Amino acid sequence: MKTKEAAIQAIKNQGLLPLFYYEDAQISLDIVRTLYRAGVRVFEYTNRGKAALENFKFIKEALKTEMQDLFLGIGTIKNTEEVKAFLAAGADFIVCPVVDLEVGKLTHDAGLLWIPGCMTPTEINVAHQFGAGIIKLFPANILGPDYLSSIKELFQGQLFVPTGGVEIEEKNIDTWFKAGVCAVGMGSKLVSKQILENKDYDTLFSLTMKTFEIINKVKP
């Protein structure tokens, strides 16, 4: 079993949390394979469509014979019904856009990492006190690195990952790490609609390698 502590360490080591959803299961798997080939070992599929659960199970089935060291989490979990379904499907960690303490409890009870999404200091405090291993700053493009710099000292030891608006650009990523994140979340800036629709795995591979190059340069 991939524990909470192991997932946190994997995210910190990687410095990147890629995420996406696509309705086609085979393309979803091929995207994961491409990310893995580029060095990704922690990944978040997102619960953003009717096929999400079945696609997630399809990817998990493939992981029985390949990419066995990949941490496969699920994002956009908003309630207990969703978290129960994806825990049963074998999610390695749970990512939420909101702070739902019942979702957090179920995730903790399973011994897994809970990453709730927070915007305000009050939300961060609730999540922090409830043992969120990592907090997702969301939406990061609205909050910005200066926001994290301003509030981080209030929550000693808390790890943060921004999601939304992080660019594949050295200055942007460097600013986030200087503000104190442990990794950056990256969705459509990395796995774009064009890449998905065109099955452009070569471009995705190159973009992922470029992102890692930047992160490895600027990460403390």
Side-chain angles (χ1 to χ4, degrees), residues 183-201:
V184 289
M186 202 167 282
S188 60
K189 301 290 182 181
L190 182 63
V191 189
S192 68
K193 185 178 178 183
Q194 290 78 10
I195 283 172
L196 289 163
E197 290 180 349
N198 298 326
K199 305 179 193 176
D200 190 357
Y201 306 126

Side-chain angles (χ1 to χ4, degrees), residues 144-158:
D146 287 345
Y147 174 79
L148 178 60
S149 298
S150 300
I151 58 95
K152 192 171 186 293
E153 294 309 310
L154 299 172
F155 307 101
Q156 294 291 326
Q158 180 65 60

Side-chain angles (χ1 to χ4, degrees), residues 10-19 35 39-43 161 166 168 173 177 182-187 190 207-209 211-212 215 219:
I11 291 169
K12 287 168 68 177
N13 290 347
Q14 187 163 284
L16 171 68
L17 186 56
L19 54 118
L35 291 168
V40 169
R41 294 297 179 269
V42 191
F43 167 74
V161 171
V166 179
I168 304 176
I173 292 174
F177 276 102
C182 71
V184 289
M186 202 167 282
L190 182 63
L207 277 176
T208 308
M209 295 296 287
T211 305
F212 274 135
I215 288 169
K219 189 160 73 97

Side-chain angles (χ1 to χ4, degrees), residues 20-87:
F20 86 100
Y21 165 78
Y22 195 60
E23 61 270 17
D24 186 286
Q26 186 59 53
I27 293 173
S28 293
L29 176 57
D30 289 339
I31 292 285
V32 175
R33 284 175 171 149
T34 303
L35 291 168
Y36 186 89
R37 190 162 53 90
V40 169
R41 294 297 179 269
V42 191
F43 167 74
E44 173 194 338
Y45 200 64
T46 55
N47 180 34
R48 294 207 172 180
K50 291 178 181 177
L53 182 58
E54 290 310 309
N55 289 0
F56 188 87
K57 290 176 180 176
F58 181 76
I59 297 167
K60 283 295 290 189
E61 187 63 30
L63 296 188
K64 291 178 180 177
T65 55
E66 59 179 305
M67 305 181 285
Q68 292 176 350
D69 57 341
L70 180 72
F71 287 78
L72 179 65
I74 185 69
T76 323
I77 296 299
K78 304 180 295 300
N79 56 56
T80 55
E81 184 181 340
E82 291 171 350
V83 75
K84 285 175 183 174
F86 282 96
L87 286 174

Side-chain angles (χ1 to χ4, degrees), residues 101-137:
L101 297 184
E102 284 300 310
V103 169
K105 183 179 186 307
L106 287 167
T107 307
H108 288 330
D109 288 349
L112 300 177
L113 172 62
W114 174 54
I115 308 179
C118 297
M119 187 175 188
T120 67
T122 299
E123 290 171 346
I124 293 168
N125 190 54
V126 170
H128 178 70
Q129 298 211 13
F130 203 70
I134 295 174
I135 285 173
K136 175 170 91 162
L137 280 184

Side-chain angles (χ1 to χ4, degrees), residues 90-104:
D92 293 321
F93 58 94
I94 302 294
V95 186
C96 312
V98 296
V99 181
D100 184 311
L101 297 184
E102 284 300 310
V103 169

